[in-house]
Structure formats: structure tokens, C-alpha cells
Amino acid sequence: MKIKDIQNQIVEEFDIFDSWMDKYEYLIELGKSVPIISPSNKKDDNIIKGCQSKVWLHADSDNGFVKFYADSDAVITKGIISLLIRAFSNQKPKDIIEAKMDFIDKIGLRQHLSPNRANGLNNMIKKIKFYAIAFSKTD
Amino acid sequence: MKIKDIQNQIVEEFDIFDSWMDKYEYLIELGKSVPIISPSNKKDDNIIKGCQSKVWLHADSDNGFVKFYADSDAVITKGIISLLIRAFSNQKPKDIIEAKMDFIDKIGLRQHLSPNRANGLNNMIKKIKFYAIAFSKTD
Amino acid sequence: MNILKNIESIRNDFPILSTKVNGNQLVYFDNAATSQTPNCVIDSISDYYKTLNSNIHRGVHKLSQLATEKYENSRKKFKEHLNANCTSEIIFTSGTTHSINLVSNGFIEFLNEGDEIIVSQLEHHSNIVPWQMLCEKTGAVMKVIPMNEQGELKVSEFLKLLNNKTKIVFINHVSNALGTINPIETVIEKSHAIGAAVLIDGAQAAPHFEIDVKKLNVDFYVFSAHKLCGPTGVGILYGKKEWLEKLPPYQGGGEMIDEVSFEKTTYAELPNKFEAGTPNIAGVIASGIGLDYINSIGLKNIKEYEDYLLDYATSKLKEIEGVKVYGESKNKTSVISFNIGEIHPYDIGSLIDNLGIAVRTGQHCAQPIMDYFNIPGTIRISFCFYNTIEEIDFLVKALKKAIKMLS
Amino acid sequence: MNILKNIESIRNDFPILSTKVNGNQLVYFDNAATSQTPNCVIDSISDYYKTLNSNIHRGVHKLSQLATEKYENSRKKFKEHLNANCTSEIIFTSGTTHSINLVSNGFIEFLNEGDEIIVSQLEHHSNIVPWQMLCEKTGAVMKVIPMNEQGELKVSEFLKLLNNKTKIVFINHVSNALGTINPIETVIEKSHAIGAAVLIDGAQAAPHFEIDVKKLNVDFYVFSAHKLCGPTGVGILYGKKEWLEKLPPYQGGGEMIDEVSFEKTTYAELPNKFEAGTPNIAGVIASGIGLDYINSIGLKNIKEYEDYLLDYATSKLKEIEGVKVYGESKNKTSVISFNIGEIHPYDIGSLIDNLGIAVRTGQHCAQPIMDYFNIPGTIRISFCFYNTIEEIDFLVKALKKAIKMLS
Ligand SMILES: Cc1ncc(COP(=O)(O)O)c(C=O)c1O
Ligand SMILES: Cc1ncc(COP(=O)(O)O)c(C=O)c1O
């Protein structure tokens, strides 16, 4: 599926819930299915700055597609990173670089996310784009 | 006359005027009769700090009575110092030291005096008291 | 004033307390970060700009005179509140952080390589980093008073650190992360005995109990108005006159000078020497009004009421399974730091925020404490005299809901 | 917006302008000291304390998030207004004086004994004293660009002072004492040509015309919000990113750090590196509202209208016998400094103050200028866009009355 379509799908899924509690419960649930980063890649270099909780993010390239792996010590953060990975993993670098990133707003979650978190969120997105740029050069 | 009586006299004189303009005019007039400091005493050591205009104040002792001499480059300041001199010159150190200083407030002039000026006023009064203290020790 | 009896009317003085979040009444438990602002303080700021806004000290005109009087009157209020010797001992800064930097920067002149300065493990970053910068510039060495499991300073270790190379000791009166009240009387006495100066960071103490700098015999005492029902952007530095006279000026500019020429500049007398440039005039005046407000309630009453909230909340929290409270000194005030099992504090904070409860999560600018306990951070609740037992009960309910969602 | 046509409604935005003094309407001609504050700015401060007061950057809770957003939004406004490259180039301080000290203190690391720095004779003390302190600490030497009788910098002398030992040049954009607009474009270009940095003190320029830091290619540009319809206690420091990255932090504390331990502390990224501690949150937000207000009127319109007032007032004053105006550059703005015969400026100021006219008398924190003219000070009137021709006429009448009383 294209990034845009996945994002729309996510937005639709969240639209079903009308209380923040249900949204958070779903988010927490989603966090459990993050493709977990391997222990050897769970190193300081892969920590994303600006989050109150620790977030590690790693990527590798598989036949021209970028694959992301992550983990966090906070479950809500894990939920958010799982959404990002769902949208951007298994995509081509070029598509990732060009993708719009506003689906988080549309889910109605950003308003529940603190500026620390929003900062962290921006940094997650930045890191995802950096990986894509790096792979676009090697490929 | 006693310091207190002179002060009351001054307050009464100013009571006659009910506009600030008349008070200032009278003050400016009074400034013209300040016992002028001698050129040799018009030196930096005798400048009073905290005034926007320059004020020089000197004192000597005459048979146990303190005499003050002053000058200023601003005429309103000169008026104010003339009031102080009228109240405190030719008095005994002890009386000066013990004197109350609130007649300036009673004249209704302090409200027309800026804090810079008020600061300067406080410093003038301080200097007058310092002179009195100095002479009380030598006498 | 009996707070419990007047709690309704006290709360009405704080307009922000009627805010709703997701349909719930705001519960503000982040008072250690900043306290809320009563109407009288807000009004004093408006009044200032509507009736007397003017640059101070410099003018011959009436607005300037009135503004200067009010500004200096605020200084008098703090002088009296702290029982300082004279108004020259009260310097207005832009915050606790600025106050500490002013002092630490001045100490550059007093320290030589190898001299020692002493800090505690319980400090806020604002009382660590300026001194680290000082050490870098002077070659002085920083020694750290360790703490125990209860979050209390080890006084015996402190005594071992003190020696004739010690030049200044700087600790907080109350730890913002744990709420511990430190034994500053002992610290001051023992430091003075070997000739060291003492700076007390009172940011978390001044809002909660009375401070008497004369009785304490402290050299420097600093705090922020915004934690004392005042506005943002104002700090107070109390310094003993002898010290402030010795200390070199921090910033150069208008008002802090006596005479300026390109050849030679002489500095103004205290307190102006340390107040370069146009100060936060409206803020300083409003800080005095905030202080008046606090004194109208009375710090004795405040302490008593907040202790009551603290005891109640501590026992209620401990009834929740998995809660671990950090900082269990008998001598503490208004702050509870805790975690719940293995749950990340950030997860709890995010969820209860949606229920309208404002708490702080994270390291609370006190990373060394977190390192000591080897935790990423805590959930911190901190009280002000407008908080209530009902709010604590609601917090407990909210925490239970969050725990359920997270497990 | 056409100011002349809308002057009534503009004046209504400033509640203080309806003040009466001794029965007369206040005439506020002390705008160079501080500008008055429009209702929208006053309201934004009240609103802040009533709806979102909270410590910024650190919280997970909503109030903190909202306050942080507004605070950072203010940074964006100044970034756009100045045409800076990015928001990291905008640092909030507590005033122009603080901004200058932040930079001068940082330059300790870049200066060696014998290096030179260049100032102008036209500076405010705030742009002299911090650099004198710097020279004392580093052994650098301060050179002074002299001025001519018109109160203009002698550019040819400046060029002679420049050499490869010159490290930084700091002059104001507009002199607060005389109103001269300095040729900063030339100063910047020539300084850069030999590799020197340039700091422009824009305290008196930012309220009166547009500033484009990119076009100017200036390294540091500083000013105060309180002269720009904003509140007291807020300063703006624009710095080129390369410079701000090189410059060491000024104050240590919360928010300006990345990691803190007693062994090693690392600093945060821009702009936080320079904003230690809790900032003047309400003030910074209100400063942005003040800027919006000014932009809603438009700096082009402001400049035009103020030039009109300046020309009118200058010619009216010169009709009074004995008036001598100091600073007669063709390139000036909004300020008239003058004396009348041998009358002390303080005497004039005191008398017209009683008629409700607020002017400044004295040295205007620019003693070197007074020394140049060999006078104790001047009477200074300075305009804002809410001043009127009628006010100038009233001033002229009042001056005549004062002269009569004094002679
Ligand atoms: C040219 C100039 N520089 C610096 C300053 C100092 O500004 P502040 O007092 O706001 O720090 C002023 C204002 O008085 C000024 O006019
Ligand atoms: C103990 C302590 N010290 C210093 C500070 C810093 O105060 P401010 O941010 O007002 O400068 C704080 C507040 O966060 C504090 O709690």
C-alpha cells in the first residue's frame, strides 16, 4: 500500500473512537506490535532526543525498501512509533522523503501530546526521513 | 529661633499659595538668597550625590553654631537648599541632629519632586546631619 | 486565616482554577514548577500599565516618580518579609537562576585553583550548572554532599568535606524533586566556622514557610516570584551587605553606574550596582502584591494546611499497589515524587492529564537525584494552599484508571 | 493604516493616555525611555494568568503545552519580523542590557590581550559598560568612533580605527540621546571586510522602522520589548546561527542543558542554550502581541508620521528664543534633545511636569555625549505614533511659561 493510503487507513481507524480514552487504549494496544529493535541496535546512537521517554529507532534496507525497528520504555510512545512504522516501513526511500506527515494531527492525538512529546515526535519523523535519505544515496 | 519654629514658619508661608505655580515661583525667589558657598569650597568633595543638578554644600562652626553655605546650577534646587539652610543654619549641632525633617512634605513640595530629586533631598539632609555630627565632636 | 474554612473564597481568588479540561475541573498539582496567580496580582499588572507605566529612577516626571516609588516599595516588602537589615540587601533579578548566576559569576574573583566549593546531590540544575561553569573558569573543585535512601543529606559526610580550602557552600532549602527540607541551619553554622560563605536556594522554601535571613545568618538567599503567587520574570536575591559590596557587578548598563567615561567607569551603590538596565518594573511591583497576598493568608497557616495535604496524599498514594515514593524524610514539604511499579512516569502523566490533572513527570531538573535512584524520572505532585483533599481523592481515582489502561 | 486619520482610535488603545496631571491631560513625550502599552498587550498578560499560566517546555500537561506553544509562537513572530533565518536565531532575554551582556560575556573566549573592539561616542551606557568589563577581563582595548557637532559618527575616523586586530564593533542604530540614525550598513560592511563581528543596539530603532537582519547581514541585533509597546522585562537578541553556536552559554540553569552530572554537563541546542531558568513567559507572549499591534499600524506609516511630528516640533522649538537643539543630523528619528539658554534642564523639566508633560532631563545614560557638548544634560522629548501636533503645541506653550518663571 502507498504511504498515503496507510495513513488514511489509520485516520479512519481512529475516527471510530470518540473518547480520548478509547484512542489511547487502542494506541497502547498498537504499541505491542512494534517490530522490536534488535538488542545490538538498541544503543545510544539510535536514541531519539527530545522525548521524555527513551525511544530507539533503527532502519535497514531490504531490496530498495526501508524497514524500521524501534522500542521505547513508555507504552504510549511505543504506540506512536508503531503508527509511524506502519506508515513508513517497507516503503521506498523516495516515497518516505516525499510523504506528508500530517496524519498524526488528523488522528486528533497531537492535541493530547505535550510539546516535549511533540518535539520528540518531530525528531522521530526527522530521524525516519534521515534514514530514508541515507538509503536513497546508497541505493 | 528654634528649628521647629522656623520650619513651622516656612510651612505657614507656603500655605498661603494654593497653586503649585505660585509655590515654585516663591521657591525660585528664595533660592536667590542662599548664602553662597565660597569658590574655594565649591569643590567636588562638597558635591551632593543623587541630584540631577549639581549641589555644593559646605559648613563651618561659629561659636558652637553651625553655618551652612551652598550653591546649585539649577534654580529650583537652589530654592530647596535655601529652605534647608534657613531651617538649620545658625543652630547647635545637637539641635540639628535631633531635628525632624518632615517640613518639606508639609509644604506640599515633595509630591512635585522626582525620586531623583527626593534622593538628592535625602542626601542633602544626610549631609547636613553629617556636618552637625562632625561639629558636635569637635566642640 | 483558617485555610480549610476559607478554601472556597481562596480558590475564587485564582481565576485559572475554574478551567475545564475534557469536561473535568482542572486539578493543578504542578505548583513546584510555578504557582498560580491571584486576581490582585493580575490586576496590579494591568493597573501598572494603565496608570503609571514609566521608566524608573531616571525621570523628573510624575509617572516615573510614582513607578519608582512602587518599585522601591516592593523592595521594602521583601526586606521586611525576610527580615533583612536594609533594602540594599534586596536585589531584584529575573529569577532564581539569574540570582544564582549573579553570585557564582562574582565568585570568579574570590576563587583560586584548588579552592573547593560544596554542593549537594539534591540540587536543581540551576544550582549546579552555574557553579560548574565557575569551576571551569577558576580551577576550583566541586565537592558533592551525598544523600541517603530517604533523600536526606548526609550531614556527617558534609562535615568531612568542609576544610579550609572550602570557599562557598550552596544547597537548596527544599529539594524541588523530593520535597526534603535540608538542615540549612547546621550547614550555615558549620560553613561559617571555617570561613566559607553559604548560598541557599530557597525557590521551594519561600512559598511554604517563613524565612528569617537574620536568624539564619545566611550570606545569600535566592528565590523566584513566580512560585510565590507572583508573575514570571522576577527573582529575588538577598545578600548580606558586606558580601554584596565585595561582589563585582554582574551586568553592565544603565542605572548600575555612577560615572561613565571611556577612560573610567565607577559603579553605583547597592542595590543599583546589580540592577543594570530597565528592570521588570510591572513584575517587581506585582511580586510585592503577591507577597502581600501570601502574608494575608499567613505562612504559618499555609505550612500547617499543606502539611495536612501532604500527609493525606502520601498515605492515600501508598495504598495504591506498586506505588513507590521517593524522598521519605520526616522533614519535608509540599512535594511527593513517586512511581508505580514498572510503569513509565510519562505514561501516567499523559493519561491523567486527559482527566484534567496537571502533574509533572520526568527528572525535574534534578538529574543527579534520578541517577541516584537509577530511574528515568518520577511523577511529581506539589501542593499550594489552594489545593484540596477532594483533588487528592480525584487524583487517586485517576491514577487507578491509568494503571488499568496501562496494564 | 493612516495614523493621522485614526489617531483618536489609536490613542484609545492606550488607557494611560487619558491620565490627568494637575488638571491637564498627560502628554507623554518620554517614549525613548519606555513606550506605553496598548490594551491588547495588557489583556494578553491577564489572559495568560487567567487561562494558561504554567511553566513551559517541561510539562506533559495541557497548560504547559499551551503556554509553550504561545511562547514559541512569539519567537516565530520576531523571527518573521526581523527576517531571521530560523527561530533558533531569536533569543529572549530580560532586556537590551541583558542581551548585550550575554554577547559581551561570550566574547571573553574570543579576545586576547591587545585585541581591539570599537564603540561609538554616541552609545547608551548599556552598550559601553559591558564592553569595558570585557576589556578588563581580557586585556582587549576599546577604541571610540568620535562624532561631529551634528551628532553624527565620523565614518572616516571609523575606517582608520579598523584593522586586523579589531574583533567586534558595537554601535547603536539610533542614538537615544540625540536621535541620530547611524550608518550601520557601512559599519557592518567595512567591519566584515576585515573579519570583525558587529553588534547593533537597536533599542531606539526597532520601535520606529523596519529591520531586516538578513539584508543588513548583521551578526547581533538587540532591543527591548518595553520600548515596542510590549511589557517590561523582555529583551530580544537576534544572533546569526553560526555566532550563537560558537558563543559559550551565559547563564547556567534549567532548560539550557542537555545532560547534567557532577562530572560533565552538556548544553542544550539553540535557542535553549541561552535561556536558562524559567523565562518571563507572560512577558514574552505579550511582547509578541505588542509586535502584532505595531505591525497592524505598520512601521512604514509609523516612520512617516513620526518624521512629521519630528519636523514640526523641531521647527516650533527653534522659534523659541535661546533654544539649542543637540543632534542635527539629517538622518534622525523621533528624538529631540535641547536646552534653553543657560537654564538648567532640570528646572524646565520640573516645571513642565507640573503641567502634565512627561519629558526626560539629564544625561540619558549617555554621559560621553554630554561631555562632548560640555553640558550637564538636556531636555529630551521623544515621540511615539500616538503623539499629536496638539501635544507639541501645548509643550511649546508650557516651555514659554517655564522660561518666564525661571527668568
Ligand atoms: C540605545 C539604547 N541602548 C540600550 C538601552 C537599554 O535598554 P534596557 O534598559 O531596556 O535594557 C536603551 C534604553 O534605555 C537605549 O536607548
Ligand atoms: C530548587 C529550585 N532551584 C531553582 C529553580 C529555578 O528557578 P527559576 O526557573 O525560576 O529560575 C527551581 C525551579 O524550577 C527550583 O525548584
Side-chain angles (χ1 to χ4, degrees):
Chain A
M1 239 195 299
K2 281 195 184 160
I3 293 178
K4 207 174 159 233
D5 297 329
I6 303 175
Q7 291 186 347
N8 287 338
Q9 199 185 50
I10 294 174
V11 172
E12 270 169 38
E13 280 172 25
F14 273 84
D15 258 0
I16 301 170
F17 308 115
D18 41 29
S19 85
W20 65 269
M21 281 237 282
D22 294 341
K23 284 185 191 184
Y24 270 83
E25 266 173 0
Y26 184 55
L27 193 66
I28 291 166
E29 200 49 44
L30 289 178
K32 294 178 183 158
S33 58
V34 164
I36 290 290
I37 192 169
S38 71
S40 63
N41 284 323
K42 205 167 169 175
K43 54 192 178 188
D44 283 3
D45 278 358
N46 282 328
I47 286 183
I48 291 171
K49 295 231 166 180
C51 307
Q52 261 210 24
S53 50
K54 275 194 183 161
V55 184
W56 296 265
L57 182 72
H58 182 67
D60 54 31
S61 174
D62 182 4
N63 269 324
F65 293 86
V66 190
K67 294 197 163 182
F68 291 100
Y69 307 88
D71 200 1
S72 170
D73 55 356
V75 303
I76 294 174
T77 317
K78 234 162 130 171
I80 290 163
I81 194 94
S82 81
L83 293 180
L84 294 176
I85 290 184
R86 189 165 142 206
F88 300 113
S89 214
N90 290 314
Q91 300 289 344
K92 292 203 173 132
K94 188 169 164 290
D95 296 336
I96 298 173
I97 294 166
E98 289 168 359
K100 273 196 154 187
M101 295 289 177
D102 51 1
F103 75 110
I104 296 281
D105 289 311
K106 290 192 189 143
I107 295 171
L109 268 178
R110 196 190 283 263
Q111 66 185 77
H112 293 297
L113 296 171
S114 79
N116 275 326
R117 167 106 321 287
N119 237 327
L121 183 62
N122 287 340
N123 288 343
M124 286 183 211
I125 293 173
K126 240 191 234 167
K127 188 107 178 186
I128 286 174
K129 294 231 171 190
F130 279 162
Y131 273 120
I133 291 168
F135 288 124
S136 76
K137 286 183 183 148
T138 56
D139 285 340
Chain B
M1 237 195 297
K2 281 193 183 164
I3 293 177
K4 205 173 160 229
D5 297 329
I6 304 174
Q7 291 186 346
N8 286 340
Q9 200 183 49
I10 295 173
V11 171
E12 270 168 37
E13 281 171 24
F14 272 84
D15 258 359
I16 301 169
F17 309 114
D18 41 30
S19 85
W20 66 268
M21 281 235 280
D22 295 342
K23 284 185 189 182
Y24 270 83
E25 268 174 359
Y26 184 55
L27 193 65
I28 291 165
E29 200 49 43
L30 290 177
K32 294 177 182 159
S33 59
V34 164
I36 291 291
I37 192 169
S38 71
S40 63
N41 283 324
K42 206 167 168 176
K43 53 190 182 190
D44 282 4
D45 277 359
N46 282 328
I47 287 182
I48 292 170
K49 295 231 168 181
C51 307
Q52 260 209 22
S53 50
K54 275 195 180 159
V55 184
W56 297 264
L57 182 72
H58 181 67
D60 54 32
S61 174
D62 180 5
N63 267 324
F65 292 88
V66 189
K67 293 196 164 183
F68 291 99
Y69 308 89
D71 201 0
S72 170
D73 56 355
V75 304
I76 294 174
T77 317
K78 235 162 129 171
I80 290 163
I81 193 96
S82 81
L83 293 180
L84 295 176
I85 290 185
R86 188 166 142 202
F88 299 112
S89 213
N90 290 312
Q91 300 288 346
K92 294 203 172 134
K94 187 170 165 289
D95 296 337
I96 300 172
I97 294 165
E98 288 169 0
K100 272 197 157 183
M101 296 289 176
D102 51 1
F103 75 111
I104 297 280
D105 289 312
K106 289 193 191 144
I107 296 170
L109 269 177
R110 195 189 285 263
Q111 66 188 71
H112 293 297
L113 296 171
S114 78
N116 274 327
R117 169 109 314 291
N119 239 325
L121 185 62
N122 287 341
N123 288 342
M124 286 182 213
I125 293 173
K126 239 191 235 166
K127 188 105 177 189
I128 285 174
K129 295 231 171 191
F130 279 163
Y131 272 121
I133 292 168
F135 288 124
S136 75
K137 285 182 184 149
T138 56
D139 287 340
Chain C
M1 188 194 274
N2 184 312
I3 296 179
L4 200 52
K5 275 195 192 145
N6 293 284
I7 191 74
E8 277 292 325
S9 98
I10 289 175
R11 288 180 65 86
N12 282 338
D13 290 336
F14 293 82
I16 206 172
L17 296 180
S18 51
T19 306
K20 300 250 166 185
V21 180
N22 285 344
N24 292 311
Q25 187 80 22
L26 169 70
V27 173
Y28 187 75
F29 278 155
D30 195 16
N31 294 289
T34 198
S35 59
Q36 292 305 338
T37 321
N39 278 318
C40 57
V41 171
I42 302 174
D43 292 345
S44 86
I45 298 173
S46 299
D47 286 351
Y48 171 80
Y49 288 112
K50 287 183 183 176
T51 63
L52 48 92
N53 180 36
S54 171
N55 214 320
I56 58 170
H57 294 302
R58 307 176 187 174
V60 282
H61 61 78
K62 282 196 179 41
L63 287 183
S64 176
Q65 175 177 10
L66 291 172
T68 304
E69 266 174 23
K70 289 232 176 186
Y71 182 89
E72 290 303 326
N73 195 33
S74 199
R75 198 190 305 278
K76 262 187 223 139
K77 290 179 188 179
F78 281 99
K79 179 234 153 204
E80 270 153 37
H81 182 78
L82 296 172
N83 194 24
N85 265 320
C86 56
T87 49
S88 311
E89 295 187 326
I90 306 295
I91 310 294
F92 289 117
T93 68
S94 62
T96 302
T97 303
H98 178 183
S99 297
I100 295 172
N101 278 275
L102 189 160
V103 177
S104 68
N105 180 71
F107 264 76
I108 292 180
E109 294 207 356
F110 306 142
L111 291 187
N112 296 311
E113 202 171 326
D115 280 345
E116 295 180 2
I117 63 180
I118 298 181
V119 65
S120 96
Q121 198 170 7
L122 277 169
E123 298 310 304
H124 188 279
H125 294 162
S126 284
N127 206 21
I128 299 176
V129 184
W131 304 101
Q132 286 181 324
M133 291 162 67
L134 175 67
C135 287
E136 254 172 49
K137 285 176 191 156
T138 59
V141 180
M142 196 188 298
K143 304 277 173 177
V144 184
I145 314 172
M147 66 180 197
N148 64 22
E149 271 287 328
Q150 275 72 48
E152 293 167 324
L153 288 189
K154 293 187 178 168
V155 177
S156 58
E157 297 291 321
F158 164 62
L159 297 179
K160 282 187 219 155
L161 292 177
L162 269 185
N163 66 60
N164 60 12
K165 284 188 280 179
T166 313
K167 291 296 173 308
I168 183 162
V169 178
F170 40 101
I171 67 167
N172 55 33
H173 199 162
V174 171
S175 152
N176 70 303
L178 304 180
T180 319
I181 303 177
N182 288 313
I184 65 165
E185 295 80 0
T186 312
V187 169
I188 293 167
E189 195 197 316
K190 299 297 181 188
S191 302
H192 283 173
I194 56 107
V198 179
L199 176 141
I200 300 295
D201 170 358
Q204 297 297 339
H208 302 297
F209 45 82
E210 284 169 0
I211 312 293
D212 183 328
V213 292
K214 206 173 289 164
K215 213 185 272 168
L216 286 171
N217 192 20
V218 65
D219 303 297
F220 302 100
Y221 197 96
V222 300
F223 54 99
S224 298
H226 71 89
K227 299 189 200 266
L228 207 69
C229 292
T232 55
V234 178
I236 289 88
L237 162 63
Y238 160 82
K240 269 190 197 161
K241 203 170 174 201
E242 309 91 88
W243 270 114
L244 293 181
E245 274 168 355
K246 261 192 283 188
L247 217 61
Y250 180 43
Q251 301 197 329
E255 290 304 318
M256 59 71 77
I257 49 82
D258 180 22
E259 301 266 337
V260 172
S261 73
F262 290 111
E263 294 72 41
K264 173 129 199 66
T265 289
T266 53
Y267 300 124
E269 288 181 8
L270 292 174
N272 295 16
K273 174 178 155 190
F274 291 110
E275 294 183 8
T278 305
N280 186 348
I281 308 170
V284 164
I285 295 171
S287 302
I289 303 293
L291 184 64
D292 290 345
Y293 181 83
I294 292 221
N295 282 331
S296 76
I297 295 180
L299 278 163
K300 286 220 175 72
N301 301 323
I302 288 174
K303 176 90 172 72
E304 194 184 318
Y305 182 72
E306 289 176 351
D307 280 351
Y308 160 67
L309 294 179
L310 182 69
D311 288 348
Y312 183 81
T314 305
S315 70
K316 283 287 163 185
L317 284 176
K318 285 193 166 169
E319 286 171 13
I320 300 174
E321 206 189 301
V323 163
K324 166 151 182 48
V325 171
Y326 298 93
E328 301 213 84
S329 173
K330 270 183 220 126
N331 235 339
K332 62 179 279 193
T333 184
S334 300
V335 168
I336 310 176
S337 244
F338 64 99
N339 273 325
I340 305 176
E342 296 295 305
I343 305 178
H344 197 285
Y346 167 73
D347 284 328
I348 297 276
S350 304
L351 292 180
I352 67 174
D353 176 45
N354 281 295
L355 290 161
I357 304 176
V359 301
R360 187 129 308 211
T361 62
Q363 306 179 330
H364 320 300
C365 295
Q367 205 174 326
I369 298 179
M370 304 303 134
D371 292 349
Y372 174 91
F373 289 116
N374 196 20
I375 48 178
T378 70
I379 305 156
R380 181 188 74 183
I381 58 176
S382 51
F383 302 117
C384 190
F385 51 79
Y386 43 66
N387 287 127
T388 65
I389 294 289
E390 289 74 31
E391 289 180 319
I392 295 169
D393 289 339
F394 184 68
L395 168 75
V396 170
K397 263 198 227 156
L399 287 174
K400 287 182 179 159
K401 200 174 235 168
I403 294 167
K404 213 161 134 200
M405 284 178 72
L406 290 164
S407 47
Chain D
M1 189 193 277
N2 184 313
I3 295 178
L4 199 53
K5 275 195 191 143
N6 293 284
I7 190 76
E8 276 293 324
S9 97
I10 289 175
R11 286 181 66 87
N12 282 336
D13 291 335
F14 294 81
I16 205 172
L17 296 181
S18 52
T19 306
K20 299 251 169 189
V21 181
N22 286 342
N24 292 310
Q25 186 81 23
L26 169 69
V27 173
Y28 187 75
F29 278 155
D30 195 17
N31 295 289
T34 198
S35 59
Q36 292 305 338
T37 321
N39 278 317
C40 57
V41 170
I42 303 174
D43 292 345
S44 85
I45 298 173
S46 300
D47 286 352
Y48 171 79
Y49 289 113
K50 288 182 181 175
T51 62
L52 48 91
N53 180 38
S54 170
N55 214 321
I56 57 170
H57 293 303
R58 309 176 186 172
V60 282
H61 60 78
K62 283 195 180 42
L63 287 183
S64 176
Q65 174 175 11
L66 290 172
T68 304
E69 265 173 24
K70 290 232 176 189
Y71 182 89
E72 291 302 327
N73 195 32
S74 199
R75 199 190 304 279
K76 261 187 223 139
K77 289 179 187 179
F78 281 98
K79 179 234 153 206
E80 271 154 36
H81 182 77
L82 296 173
N83 194 25
N85 266 319
C86 56
T87 49
S88 311
E89 295 187 325
I90 306 294
I91 309 294
F92 289 118
T93 67
S94 61
T96 302
T97 303
H98 179 184
S99 297
I100 295 173
N101 278 276
L102 189 161
V103 177
S104 69
N105 180 72
F107 263 76
I108 292 179
E109 296 207 356
F110 306 142
L111 291 187
N112 296 313
E113 203 170 328
D115 279 346
E116 295 179 3
I117 64 181
I118 298 181
V119 65
S120 97
Q121 198 171 8
L122 277 168
E123 298 310 303
H124 188 281
H125 294 161
S126 285
N127 205 21
I128 300 176
V129 184
W131 304 101
Q132 286 182 322
M133 291 162 67
L134 174 67
C135 287
E136 254 173 49
K137 284 177 191 154
T138 58
V141 180
M142 196 187 299
K143 303 278 172 177
V144 185
I145 314 172
M147 66 179 196
N148 63 23
E149 272 288 326
Q150 275 71 49
E152 293 167 324
L153 288 188
K154 294 187 179 166
V155 177
S156 57
E157 297 291 323
F158 163 62
L159 297 179
K160 283 187 219 153
L161 292 176
L162 269 185
N163 66 59
N164 60 13
K165 283 188 281 183
T166 313
K167 290 296 173 307
I168 183 162
V169 178
F170 41 100
I171 66 167
N172 55 35
H173 200 161
V174 171
S175 153
N176 71 304
L178 305 181
T180 319
I181 303 177
N182 289 313
I184 64 164
E185 296 79 2
T186 311
V187 169
I188 294 167
E189 195 197 315
K190 298 298 180 185
S191 303
H192 283 174
I194 56 109
V198 179
L199 176 140
I200 300 295
D201 170 358
Q204 297 297 340
H208 302 298
F209 44 82
E210 285 171 357
I211 311 293
D212 183 327
V213 293
K214 206 174 287 162
K215 214 186 272 168
L216 286 171
N217 193 21
V218 64
D219 303 297
F220 302 101
Y221 197 97
V222 301
F223 54 99
S224 297
H226 71 88
K227 299 188 201 269
L228 207 71
C229 293
T232 55
V234 178
I236 289 88
L237 161 63
Y238 160 82
K240 269 190 197 160
K241 203 170 174 199
E242 309 91 87
W243 270 113
L244 293 180
E245 275 169 354
K246 262 192 284 187
L247 217 60
Y250 180 42
Q251 302 198 327
E255 291 305 319
M256 59 70 77
I257 50 82
D258 178 24
E259 301 266 337
V260 173
S261 74
F262 289 111
E263 293 73 40
K264 174 129 198 64
T265 290
T266 53
Y267 300 124
E269 288 181 7
L270 292 174
N272 296 14
K273 174 178 155 191
F274 291 109
E275 294 183 7
T278 306
N280 186 347
I281 308 169
V284 164
I285 295 171
S287 301
I289 303 293
L291 184 65
D292 290 344
Y293 181 82
I294 292 220
N295 282 331
S296 76
I297 295 181
L299 278 163
K300 285 218 177 73
N301 301 322
I302 289 174
K303 175 89 172 73
E304 194 183 319
Y305 181 73
E306 289 177 350
D307 281 351
Y308 161 66
L309 294 179
L310 183 68
D311 290 347
Y312 182 81
T314 305
S315 70
K316 283 287 165 186
L317 285 176
K318 285 191 167 172
E319 287 171 12
I320 300 174
E321 206 189 301
V323 162
K324 168 153 180 47
V325 171
Y326 298 93
E328 300 212 86
S329 173
K330 270 183 221 126
N331 234 339
K332 62 178 281 191
T333 185
S334 299
V335 169
I336 309 177
S337 244
F338 64 99
N339 272 325
I340 305 178
E342 295 297 305
I343 304 177
H344 197 285
Y346 167 73
D347 285 327
I348 298 275
S350 304
L351 292 181
I352 67 174
D353 177 44
N354 280 294
L355 290 161
I357 304 177
V359 301
R360 186 129 307 211
T361 62
Q363 307 181 326
H364 320 299
C365 295
Q367 207 174 325
I369 297 180
M370 304 303 134
D371 292 349
Y372 174 90
F373 289 117
N374 196 20
I375 48 177
T378 71
I379 306 156
R380 182 188 72 184
I381 57 176
S382 52
F383 303 116
C384 190
F385 51 80
Y386 43 65
N387 288 127
T388 65
I389 294 289
E390 290 72 32
E391 289 179 319
I392 294 169
D393 289 339
F394 183 68
L395 168 74
V396 169
K397 262 198 229 158
L399 287 175
K400 287 182 180 162
K401 201 174 234 169
I403 294 167
K404 213 162 132 199
M405 284 179 71
L406 291 164
S407 46

